Amino acid sequence: MDKYIKYFEANKALWDAKTPIHAASKFYDMDAFFAGTNTLRHIELGELPSLEGKTILHSQCHFGQDTLSMERMGAECTGIDISPEAIKKAEEIRDELNLASRFVCCNVYDIDKHIDTLFDLVFTSYGVIGWLPDLDRWAAQLCARIKSGGYFYMAEFHPVLYMFDWGTDRIAYRYFNDGNPYEEENEGTYVDNKADIKMTEYFWQHSISEILNALIGQGMDIVLFNEYDYSPYNCFPNLVKLEDQKFQFKHNGIAPPHIFSILAKKR
Ligand SMILES: C[S@@+](CC[C@H](N)C(=O)[O-])C[C@H]1O[C@@H](n2cnc3c(N)ncnc32)[C@H](O)[C@@H]1O
């Protein structure tokens, strides 16, 4: 993965800078979290197998709200993320809440250098694979950590949604991955588009077939695949609120797929 180091380093700096802004934001509403709010969305809550007593590896956990929410649901959790600031914040929150999740600062592609145990479930969600150049290696890292009979679960923004340029409502990004990252200098973040942050980011598009084939290539059986025409987060410009945890974008009056989810079982 050496040829991607420049991109990983830039994205790590980006997420380090975003972390304090996110942790202080209304979007991530830390007061509600400390008061006991479960940050998982109804999509994954309705699709995940029972978490009670399960061991979970949470990939790209950001500053750990979902990891700690799953611990509060009775699981034993380990979260990994490339951003040292995010992992530091996750550990601070865990300690303040007297919880026990383990957090490890590492690149997804180096998980095998940091963690050698197997888990009942590997979980990853919302805004994750766009930062990754190679899904075959991503799936190899994650699926290698699942026990036989265990599960992989993801809920993620749909690649069709990522084709739109939010500023103009125009289709501006390819659907298929041609191997090259998009390079953009963006201001603000999804929690506040006026936040004082302007940095270069690198991201990749991944089609649905690329994602599914990466998992199938690891011997995983797909047991659930769903698509949704709304986002459970109000995290893009000009989304219309339909109801709680349902925000929608329309192009020419038509809502494209916003989210997909996958549950896969290891043989
Ligand atoms: C959008 S956030 C995940 C959001 C999560 N659903 C949440 O709201 O808390 C994406 C995370 O991926 C992490 N990340 C990006 N590239 C990574 C990589 N190569 N390895 C591990 N983590 C990475 C970032 O540091 C960031 O915390």
Side-chain angles (χ1 to χ4, degrees):
M1 303 301 289
D2 287 357
K3 66 176 176 174
Y4 298 116
I5 283 174
K6 163 189 162 187
Y7 309 125
F8 294 141
E9 287 303 315
N11 287 339
K12 186 201 291 189
L14 173 81
W15 285 99
D16 275 350
K18 281 182 178 183
T19 295
I21 298 169
H22 287 188
S25 69
K26 186 64 195 154
F27 184 97
Y28 280 98
D29 199 348
M30 205 61 91
D31 288 342
F33 186 67
F34 273 94
T37 292
N38 185 332
T39 53
L40 296 193
R41 305 284 98 177
H42 64 86
I43 291 178
E44 53 272 25
L45 288 171
E47 295 178 338
L48 279 166
S50 165
L51 304 187
E52 182 66 44
K54 298 293 192 306
T55 53
I56 298 179
L57 175 63
H58 180 189
S59 187
Q60 297 178 249
C61 65
H62 202 21
F63 57 93
Q65 283 190 337
D66 285 355
T67 324
L68 296 169
S69 291
M70 292 190 282
E71 180 182 341
R72 282 168 164 167
M73 293 170 73
E76 189 186 312
C77 299
T78 301
I80 75 100
D81 199 281
I82 200 171
S83 155
E85 287 303 318
I87 290 297
K88 199 168 79 186
K89 192 73 194 167
E91 290 174 336
E92 265 173 45
I93 299 168
R94 172 201 63 200
D95 292 346
E96 267 191 65
L97 286 168
N98 258 324
L99 293 169
S101 293
R102 177 183 176 216
F103 291 100
V104 177
C105 188
C106 72
N107 195 316
V108 164
Y109 295 108
D110 294 331
I111 290 177
D112 58 349
K113 297 189 187 127
H114 296 263
I115 298 174
D116 59 9
T117 45
L118 298 181
F119 297 82
D120 297 308
L121 172 73
V122 169
F123 174 93
T124 195
S125 72
Y126 303 114
V128 282
I129 54 172
W131 308 106
L132 307 179
D134 183 327
L135 290 195
D136 288 336
R137 291 184 190 211
W138 160 80
Q141 282 286 344
L142 297 191
C143 297
R145 303 268 59 83
I146 305 174
K147 291 176 186 169
S148 174
Y151 289 95
F152 167 87
Y153 178 84
M154 77 185 294
E156 177 59 295
F157 296 105
H158 202 289
V160 170
L161 190 70
Y162 279 148
M163 293 172 74
F164 292 97
D165 172 45
W166 297 104
T168 62
D169 188 19
R170 173 178 73 83
I171 289 184
Y173 300 92
R174 54 185 171 261
Y175 176 78
F176 293 103
N177 184 7
D178 70 357
N180 299 310
Y182 284 102
E183 175 182 327
E184 281 186 1
E185 190 179 58
N186 284 322
E187 287 189 71
T189 107
Y190 56 86
V191 306
D192 174 5
N193 56 17
K194 295 195 178 56
D196 186 18
I197 172 173
K198 185 176 184 182
M199 294 178 76
T200 299
E201 57 188 56
Y202 295 93
F203 53 93
W204 289 261
Q205 250 302 39
H206 299 292
S207 66
I208 292 290
S209 57
E210 185 188 350
I211 299 159
L212 290 174
N213 284 329
L215 294 167
I216 292 165
Q218 295 304 315
M220 301 294 290
D221 290 326
I222 309 294
V223 294
L224 169 152
F225 176 78
N226 282 322
E227 296 175 288
Y228 295 88
D229 67 356
Y230 60 84
S231 163
Y233 294 102
N234 188 12
C235 58
F236 300 111
N238 308 322
L239 295 183
V240 172
K241 183 170 183 174
L242 304 177
E243 54 186 87
D244 188 39
Q245 292 191 25
K246 287 192 181 181
F247 300 89
Q248 196 175 59
F249 160 75
K250 281 189 173 162
H251 177 67
N252 292 338
I254 298 169
H258 285 50
I259 299 292
F260 69 90
S261 56
I262 300 171
L263 180 67
K265 188 168 186 177
K266 187 155 179 178
R267 286 177 208 147

